[in-house]
Amino acid sequence: MIIKLQDMLWVQSHTTIDGRGKNITITGRNVVLGGVQDVIIHNIQISNIKGSDTLHIFAGSKKVWVDHVTSFNGELGLASVLQGSTDVTISNCNLQNYNFNMLLGASDADFEDRSLRVTVYRNWFRDSMQRMPHCRWGICHVANNLYTNWGYYAIGGRANARVRSESNVFMPSKRVKEITPWFPSKPATFDMSARIESRNDVLLNGATFHQFLSASSDVSPPYPSGSSPPIMSTSSLPSLVEKCSGALFAGNLIQCQQA
């Protein structure tokens, strides 16, 4: 089924959009969560969106889970979490875009994003220029993701963001090896206030990870007891993510549910 939206799809609180077992594509306009809570979006494709991102979460939305979504070709990016939204998990997604990918906090002036807490878990970030994710102000836990072929940088942050990159696998192309937006001749005005730390990441094909460590304390994602995501071995991560990320159908759905 291809659903071509004529207007934005506004999702209300306490809603689940579940495309398991079906091949569902949303195109034309984006999916929007504004000031809502308790929402699950699962096993759909959102693609080919002009003039916006593909999935827009803003205005203090909270308790949102985006899982097994395939998304690409968003003119202004793919998933965005902005303006005081928090307690969002984006997991098991297949995310590919020619420029921007995922934005967590849109402006240095959005001080309400100090409450932002986002988990980015077991996604495949493919063939994108930047923002996988880019984080402002809040706490972003980026764990067990697969990165292939980024153009400018993979993980970025500014405005006192706190980012933990943990047990990810980075496989750059021949052109760009650096994972963060670090470069030797950066200007004096370059914002180094974010903390971007790497723990047990696997850097392949000559990848480099310049950590931003000006903030003194380590990043500690504030999960309630027993609710942190299970960190899997990086040795089997690439094959699992390549096979099981994004919307799943038929045999892949059954096999990946057992993984």
Side-chain angles (χ1 to χ4, degrees):
M1 179 187 296
I2 297 177
I3 303 171
K4 188 171 183 178
L5 298 176
Q6 301 299 314
D7 202 350
M8 294 180 288
L9 176 60
W10 290 82
V11 180
Q12 300 301 308
S13 292
H14 313 295
T15 297
T16 296
I17 299 176
D18 189 351
R20 276 179 295 183
K22 306 295 181 182
N23 186 347
I24 307 295
T25 295
I26 293 176
T27 187
R29 299 298 298 271
N30 61 344
V31 177
V32 181
L33 284 65
V36 300
Q37 66 181 40
D38 300 312
V39 172
I40 299 172
I41 299 176
H42 181 76
N43 212 83
I44 61 174
Q45 176 176 296
I46 313 171
S47 59
N48 298 314
I49 310 298
K50 293 183 177 181
S52 69
D53 45 15
T54 59
L55 177 61
H56 197 77
I57 302 169
F58 78 116
S61 294
K62 60 185 178 181
K63 298 182 180 178
V64 175
W65 184 19
V66 179
D67 188 53
H68 282 291
V69 169
T70 296
S71 192
F72 57 90
N73 288 352
E75 186 172 350
L76 298 184
L78 302 180
S80 301
V81 182
L82 318 169
Q83 298 174 345
S85 297
T86 191
D87 295 337
V88 176
T89 296
I90 302 172
S91 60
N92 299 302
C93 295
N94 190 316
L95 304 170
Q96 177 182 0
N97 211 37
Y98 46 87
N99 193 1
F100 304 130
N101 197 302
M102 183 184 296
L103 183 61
L104 309 178
S107 171
D108 294 357
D110 286 347
F111 300 118
E112 65 266 42
D113 282 330
R114 289 171 175 156
S115 64
L116 181 144
R117 296 185 296 266
V118 180
T119 300
V120 181
Y121 177 67
R122 219 162 69 176
N123 304 286
W124 187 2
F125 290 102
R126 308 173 56 191
D127 304 317
S128 299
M129 185 65 67
Q130 57 187 311
R131 298 182 182 173
M132 295 169 269
H134 185 279
C135 184
R136 284 181 173 92
W137 291 115
I139 298 176
C140 304
H141 188 200
V142 183
N144 265 172
N145 301 282
L146 174 64
Y147 291 81
T148 56
N149 191 30
W150 57 93
Y152 171 33
Y153 68 88
I155 298 175
R158 56 181 291 128
N160 297 293
R162 304 179 69 77
V163 183
R164 175 186 286 183
S165 173
E166 182 174 4
S167 298
N168 300 293
V169 176
F170 296 92
M171 303 172 63
S173 66
K174 295 180 180 179
R175 186 165 62 92
V176 178
K177 306 293 186 181
E178 175 57 39
I179 293 163
T180 68
W182 178 95
F183 51 98
S185 57
K186 59 186 181 295
T189 55
F190 188 81
D191 186 346
M192 294 288 292
S193 64
R195 183 177 180 92
I196 306 175
E197 62 182 38
S198 174
R199 294 193 177 189
N200 303 315
D201 289 320
V202 174
L203 313 182
L204 303 176
N205 302 342
T208 58
F209 196 127
H210 282 82
Q211 302 183 76
F212 288 32
L213 300 176
S214 57
S216 58
S217 58
D218 292 346
V219 179
S220 298
Y223 297 109
S225 178
S227 67
S228 59
I231 305 300
M232 66 177 295
S233 169
T234 52
S235 61
S236 57
L237 182 69
S239 60
L240 175 65
V241 171
E242 288 178 0
K243 180 180 179 182
C244 294
S245 63
L248 301 173
F249 320 109
N252 269 7
L253 174 61
I254 297 172
Q255 294 175 25
C256 293
Q257 284 178 332
Q258 299 171 349

